[in-house]
Each structure stands twice: as C-alpha cells, then as structure tokens.
Amino acid sequence: GISPHIGHAVGIDPDADTSIAQRVRRSPPPFRRATVTVVEPVTSRLSRVMLTGPDLAGLVVTEPGASIRLLLPPRGAAELVIPTWRGNEFLLPDDAKPAIRTFTPSLMQPGSTSLHLDVVRHGRGVASEWVERVQVGDEAAVSGPGRGYTVDPTASAYLIGGDETALPAIRQLLGFLPDGMPTRVFVEVADDEARGELPRGSMTSVTWLDATAGNPPGTALADAVIAATVVPDTQVWVAGEAAAVQRIRRHLFTVREFPRAHATIRGYWKHGRAETA
C-alpha cells in the first residue's frame, strides 16, 4: 500500500471520472481495531508491521494493489480513539481530524486475522514518526479495503512503474500476471537495500533505477517510463510521488494520446508535504 505493502498516502486521481469520485465520497468501511504483534526493520528505510485481531476476520483483500486506511494515534496518547464518518470525512468526537494514512496491505483471505504493512520512512511525517516509535502491543485500527486492480489477461503487454512506496503493490501485480505476459518494470529506489526479488514471469524484465541526488524524487522513474516504447494494447500501471506521476500522466495522455482506459496512474505521496494532519 499503501503502500509505504509500502506505506503511502493515496490521492484521488484528478483524471478519474465523476462516478468514481462519488463512490469515494460514500461512507467507507468502519475502522477495525487490531494490535501490533510484529515490528521488524526490512531495510534502513522500510519497516514491516504486523497487525492482528479478531475484528480483522471480516477484512478480505483479494485484489492486488488494494488499499486500507490506517488510523495513527497521536504521540503519547493513552488510548486509540476511533473516529466516525460525518459528511465527507472521519472526525474525532471533539471534531478534530484524526491522522489517517493509506497503505497497501498484504492479501487477506476470509477468516484471516492478521495483515502486514510495509512502511517506508520518507523523513518527517506522522507515518514515519509512528513507525519509528510503534511497539508490539500498541493499538491500531484499519478501514477498508479500497478497490484493488483487475489484471487484464488479454493485454498485449504490461508496463509497470513505481518507487519504494509502490513495491508491495508491484509485487502483488506481478504475482497476478499470466506467465508469458511481456512485462517491463521500472522501480526507483533511494537506497540499494530496497532492491529485492520480484515475481517474474518468463517475459518479465525489471530495471532498478537509482534516485539521483539533486533531483526531485521520481525523476528517474518518470524519465524511464516516458522513454519506454509502448506497443498497442499495453496496460500501464504506475504509482509513486505525486509530481512525478503527474508528469507521466501528462506525457501519456497529452503527448502520446494514450488511451486513459489502459492506464492506472496513482500518486501515493507528495514530496515536501508537511504531514501534520
């Protein structure tokens, strides 16, 4: 997830149609309480958090690239206060806005009572600060899932791109693609530690891109996707830093006039945003 599998904040796609925007504004699923049962570092920038609890038994995640909302408790809070959906947002009893971030969860079958989230630390921000201090036994709550991605087995090829926050979703997507599907994958990482094994079909190529010093995050990713050859009937899936994916979106839809129905492009986080709420 958000995510950043690896944690991420997911924004509404400005190119989405009105009906999708209306669906987003409907009351989302209520929060389910859980307990943190595992916190383990995966890399210098990534930690894996396992959430467990009986309330999670009804949370089913079967599509790749789905999302969940994670309620983040205020620093030093004695207990986790669950917000309610009022109008068009979650609010706490005192009308304050809770800290909620969107992540890509692990897949969950019916009856499962545990899920894991991979959280990337971007620097300062409520999610990064939370994963630095969270301990086994802490309370947590999640709402979801949000709709995932439906793989098109009839596509002529797939082009998949993302940064570290998109790696969990990318792993899931690759696991759902038919073997033999021509697939090109571009992943930008800020640290070589983030490189790892990805599921690969017989015709999958993976290119790891190093984030370049002095350039905004996502620059290398956007350059690679924009330069890539895209054959007709290719399906494109890209997620990462908001400005970078917006650049990709403009190129595909405005310059190449690529069919919007064949592309899923998502901003997972925004560079420079002060994540105080």
Side-chain angles (χ1 to χ4, degrees):
I2 64 171
S3 180
H5 332 279
I6 296 172
H8 52 255
V10 177
I12 297 174
D13 186 344
D15 292 306
D17 62 36
T18 304
S19 63
I20 292 176
Q22 290 172 344
R23 286 198 295 271
V24 171
R25 287 196 293 270
R26 291 177 184 171
S27 176
F31 278 95
R32 302 170 183 267
R33 288 185 180 271
T35 302
V36 176
T37 52
V38 176
V39 181
E40 59 181 5
V42 179
T43 71
S44 60
R45 285 166 45 88
L46 171 66
S47 293
R48 178 161 296 157
V49 179
M50 182 76 74
L51 304 178
T52 304
D55 285 358
L56 298 182
L59 184 63
V60 179
V61 184
T62 57
E63 292 183 316
S67 63
I68 58 99
R69 290 178 172 91
L70 174 67
L71 175 65
L72 301 173
R75 181 186 292 274
E79 62 178 327
L80 188 69
V81 178
I82 303 297
T84 56
W85 184 259
R86 286 185 270 163
N88 196 33
E89 60 185 340
F90 280 110
L91 293 174
L92 295 168
D94 62 358
D95 293 334
K97 292 184 178 182
I100 297 172
R101 292 294 178 265
T102 307
F103 292 81
T104 303
S106 55
L107 299 176
M108 295 182 64
Q109 297 302 318
S112 175
T113 58
S114 293
L115 66 80
H116 76 251
L117 309 171
D118 288 348
V119 184
V120 169
R121 295 181 294 281
H122 299 292
R124 298 187 62 184
V126 293
S128 296
E129 292 175 0
W130 174 77
V131 80
E132 291 282 1
R133 69 177 187 269
V134 69
Q135 297 180 353
V136 170
D138 286 356
E139 278 192 297
V142 297
S143 167
R147 186 175 57 178
Y149 179 80
T150 301
V151 167
D152 181 3
T154 68
S156 60
Y158 261 83
L159 174 62
I160 297 174
D163 59 17
E164 291 169 72
T165 67
L167 271 172
I170 290 173
R171 288 191 180 99
Q172 292 180 0
L173 285 169
L174 292 175
F176 276 72
L177 290 179
D179 185 43
M181 174 70 72
T183 304
R184 297 189 68 188
V185 183
F186 297 100
V187 185
E188 178 179 321
V189 294
D191 190 320
D192 283 346
E193 277 190 286
R195 300 188 184 202
E197 290 299 317
L198 293 175
R200 298 196 188 198
S202 58
M203 297 184 68
T204 299
S205 68
V206 177
T207 302
W208 296 96
L209 307 165
D210 293 322
T212 50
N215 288 324
T219 299
L221 172 65
D223 288 347
V225 172
I226 288 171
T229 300
V230 181
V231 300
D233 295 323
T234 294
Q235 290 286 336
V236 175
W237 188 97
V238 178
E241 198 281 324
V245 298
Q246 180 63 21
R247 182 182 159 207
I248 292 169
R249 180 185 287 114
R250 283 197 301 267
H251 176 80
L252 288 178
F253 298 154
T254 304
V255 178
R256 292 200 188 191
E257 298 184 344
F258 189 79
R260 292 173 184 259
H262 289 187
T264 297
I265 302 175
R266 296 172 176 171
Y268 272 5
W269 63 286
K270 189 170 184 178
H271 178 57
R273 187 180 82 169
E275 293 185 327
T276 57

